[in-house]
Every structure is written in structure tokens, then in C-alpha cells.
Amino acid sequence: MTPRLRALAGQEIDAIDTPALVVDLDAANRNLQRMAEFAAKHRLRLRPHAKMHKSAEFARLQLQAGAVGLCAQTVAEAEALAAGGVNDIFISNQVLAVGKLRRVAALAHQLKTRGGQLAIAADSFEGVERLAQAMQLTSAAIDVFIEADIGQGRCGVTTPEAAVQLAQLIARRSGSLRYAGLHAYHGGAQHLRTVAERRQALTEAASRLQRTREALAAADLAPPLVTGAGTGTFSIEAASGLWNEIQPGSFLFMDADYLQNERDPAQPQFEPALFVKTQVISVSEQHAVCDAGHKSHAIDSGLPAVHTLPGQARLAFANGGDEHGVLKPLDYGGALSPLPELGETVWLIPGHCDPTVNLHEVLVAVRGGLAAGRVEAVVTVEARGVW
């Protein structure tokens, strides 16, 4: 971290240069507390997904709030979390490359020496066999969750019979592999806009999961744990009684796409806590331009929303390219909202928090709100990248 970034701690929010990714710690902590209370009330293990914040610092905050461990989506994310002191990690993805599997074995050994544990997902005989071979490099064992496709149409076994066969194979490799249960996550349901749509998708998913659980139990391989669920649906998984552990990630920061979902009254209310701070650098008669383009926020789930502070006019964000964002006035019954002035700060809520964080080297954490807060810390995004 550069001296300039380190020097931000303790300064007023105006000292943050633009474009910058800023976390409102007060809002993030409220989100974290609400999720922890929900998990405790419903007697669910909480294992948040670290692929969202990609930061050991925020992972430690989640552990302090009651999380049992963290999920990671890549070997590199898991390694970064472990280096930051996280001892219970689940790589909720398939890993087939020999080099990466050797890193998995080394990480399992590292966590074992610290009293921790590593888990990983698998959905194929080849994946299990390669994992077992890599684990011969260490005396440590690794927990293996069979990934079941419950409607996502991505990774996962697609029939109960396939799950049973894979569980039997894992059991035969019991020296280095431990059959841990089922990984059942329906990512496609998270952003269905209405509560009714999400409940329908999870009703079908729960039916598929139940058939798989029953088949495993009939083979004397009842899953010790079923893990899954995301920010959009976790209350539905909780109500089903089929999941023991939930993996929501985006709830901590939220994003413009999740905020478009109809809120399920069974879930806590979460608020945006991740923002791109940007500055107006040009103004014309019909629009203004800010210095936050696509290099500062991901657009796979849509463009960012403009966050309106008290006294600010509501604006719409339009595509301006890599380095620019176009700010347009909104129509209020025939009268257009005023445009911001040159040099004015504008706050954006990214369309998708996970890949937006991946674009930045640091998160600037502030307390006291976006209008008059101070920088509490500059947090390194250790797990950014794809390896």
C-alpha cells in the first residue's frame, strides 16, 4: 500500500481521491448484525461468501460476528483468506488442474497445523480421483461436498443416483477425503425480481434436493451437512428445513441489482454499503460527466445507480466509457432535476458488487456516513484476480 493511501486513515471523506471504492462501515455493520441475528434465530451455520469482498479484514469481521468460516470460489481466494488468518474455508467450486490441486493440498496441510479445516466441492469421478491423488502429498484430510445441481444449470450432479455414486467413491478414499455432505446453491434464483418467483424456484430446488438427500440416506450416506443459499433466497432455504448452512455474500455491501429485488418480508432489511466515489469533471446544458467509468465498476448486472444524499438532486447514470460516466437529470412532471456542479462529489452504487471489488486494489472504509464521515482504514483487496 502506498504512503498516500496509508495516510488517508483519520482524514475527512473529502480527502479520498476519485474514483475510489468506499465502504460505509456503519451500514455494513448493520447488515452484518442483521444477518448474524437471522442465522442464530433459525439455528443455521453462517458461512458468508468471501468472493464478494475478497478481503481478509472483512472476513475477520464476519467471523467475529458469528460466522463459522468463509466460502471462497477460487484457490487464490482461499489462500489469501488463510494468509489473513481465516482457518475454516470452503472452496465452493470445482478444481481440476493438477497445479491448483497441489496448492489445495498444501493449503489443507497449512490449515490443519493451525487447527483449521479446508473443504472443497466436487461433481465428478475425475475430480474426486485427482483430488485424492493430490492429497497424498500431505497427511491432512479435506472435507468434500458433493455439488448438486438444484436448478442453476451450471456445475453439480444432476441425479440422485450420481450423488450416491460420488459419495461412495469419496467414502472409499476416506484416508485423505472426508464426505462432508451436499453443496446445493441456486445462483439463478437470487435475482428473480419478485418474492413469488424466488419462492417458486426454490420450491423446485428443494424438491430436487430432497430426492437427493433421500437417495443418499437409503445408501447409508445421509449428508452430514447441506450448505448453500444466497442473499436473494436464504430465508426460503431456512424455512425449508433442508439446509443447515447458508452462504450469502452480497448482503454485506449490497448492489444496485439486488436492490431492485422485491424484498422478502421473511428476510432482514439490508442497505447499500459499497459506493464508488466520483467527481463531476464536466458539465453541459443537458448532462454532467463524472470520472468513474467501467474501469471502476462492473456492468455485467447493469449500470450503477446514483446514490442521492440529502440536498442532492436525483440523477440517472449513463454509459460514458472506460473513464467517464454520464449523469442525466430526471424528469419530475415536466421539470428536470438540476445537474451537479463542477467538482461536486457524486456517489454511485455499483450494479454488481463482486466484480466491482475485483477491479480495485483497496477498499476505503469510512465511519460517520458519506456526507461527513472520516476514513477509518484502507483495506487491501488481497484476493482480487482469477488464479
Side-chain angles (χ1 to χ4, degrees):
M1 192 180 299
T2 66
R4 177 178 62 85
L5 288 172
R6 285 196 296 269
L8 277 177
Q11 294 195 53
E12 294 182 357
I13 208 163
D14 288 346
I16 303 171
D17 209 349
T18 59
L21 199 56
V22 175
V23 178
D24 181 339
L25 279 179
D26 301 313
N29 279 324
R30 288 191 291 269
N31 290 341
L32 180 56
Q33 187 61 36
R34 290 164 187 158
M35 180 61 80
E37 290 172 354
F38 178 93
K41 178 181 178 180
H42 293 84
R43 299 182 180 179
L44 292 164
R45 291 162 53 94
L46 174 60
R47 184 180 295 276
H49 226 303
K51 72 183 179 69
M52 190 277 295
H53 53 70
K54 299 176 177 62
S55 157
E57 182 65 31
F58 280 101
R60 289 192 291 269
L61 288 176
Q62 292 175 316
L63 292 170
Q64 291 167 12
V68 298
L70 277 294
C71 285
Q73 198 72 349
T74 69
V75 178
E77 287 177 357
E79 290 169 332
L81 292 175
V86 179
N87 290 330
D88 192 327
I89 303 169
F90 171 37
I91 302 173
S92 55
N93 201 0
Q94 319 305 312
V95 179
L96 270 290
V98 173
K100 288 182 180 178
L101 286 171
R102 288 174 179 165
R103 289 161 57 193
V104 166
L107 184 57
H109 180 81
Q110 175 189 348
L111 292 179
K112 179 188 176 183
T113 63
R114 297 181 351 202
Q117 181 59 43
L118 182 66
I120 195 167
D123 70 354
S124 68
F125 276 59
E126 181 72 15
V128 170
E129 293 287 14
R130 290 190 183 197
L131 176 62
Q133 184 173 3
M135 292 302 297
Q136 293 177 11
L137 299 171
T138 174
S139 60
I142 188 169
D143 285 343
V144 183
F145 285 90
I146 298 169
E147 182 161 4
D149 182 1
I150 57 170
Q152 169 80 355
R154 193 167 60 186
C155 296
V157 296
T158 57
T159 66
E161 294 75 20
V164 170
Q165 292 169 4
L166 204 55
Q168 291 169 336
L169 175 61
I170 295 168
R172 291 198 295 270
R173 303 291 185 269
S174 58
S176 56
L177 310 184
R178 285 193 295 253
Y179 167 53
L182 291 172
H183 171 48
Y185 171 68
H186 193 335
Q190 303 309 310
H191 296 279
L192 296 175
R193 290 300 176 218
T194 69
V195 175
E197 288 176 306
R198 297 196 295 276
R199 287 180 177 167
Q200 178 60 39
L202 264 297
T203 296
E204 297 170 5
S207 177
R208 296 173 71 163
L209 174 59
Q210 180 62 19
R211 291 195 296 271
T212 301
R213 285 177 58 123
E214 290 172 352
L216 288 164
D220 202 24
L221 289 163
L225 188 71
V226 177
T227 183
T231 294
T233 65
F234 66 86
S235 62
I236 308 173
E237 282 94 341
S240 75
L242 297 176
W243 280 261
N244 318 101
E245 182 177 270
I246 56 173
Q247 306 172 0
S250 297
F251 76 92
L252 185 66
F253 289 167
M254 296 300 283
D255 54 38
D257 193 48
Y258 262 121
L259 290 168
Q260 292 181 59
N261 278 4
E262 177 190 6
R263 180 176 169 249
D264 188 337
Q267 293 193 175
Q269 178 76 55
F270 300 116
E271 56 191 292
L274 183 73
F275 303 90
V276 176
K277 182 189 178 188
T278 182
Q279 184 184 49
V280 176
I281 59 173
S282 178
V283 177
S284 70
E285 290 185 2
Q286 297 182 335
H287 68 266
V289 178
C290 66
D291 62 358
H294 302 331
K295 287 165 67 176
S296 63
H297 54 80
I299 61 172
D300 59 300
S301 294
L303 295 171
V306 179
H307 182 66
T308 306
L309 294 180
Q312 288 187 325
R314 292 181 59 199
L315 299 166
F317 185 94
N319 186 349
D322 291 351
E323 307 288 352
H324 305 90
V326 177
L327 304 170
K328 296 186 176 182
L330 295 178
D331 189 329
Y332 292 97
L336 294 178
S337 56
L339 289 170
E341 298 180 356
L342 276 172
E344 186 174 337
T345 294
V346 174
W347 297 92
L348 307 177
I349 303 173
H352 190 181
C353 49
D354 303 29
T356 294
V357 171
N358 198 55
L359 294 171
H360 294 258
E361 295 180 351
V362 297
L363 297 163
V364 183
V366 304
R367 284 201 186 278
L370 301 181
R374 286 185 176 271
V375 177
E376 179 160 306
V378 180
V379 178
T380 302
V381 185
E382 302 99 332
R384 67 193 296 258
V386 296
W387 278 22

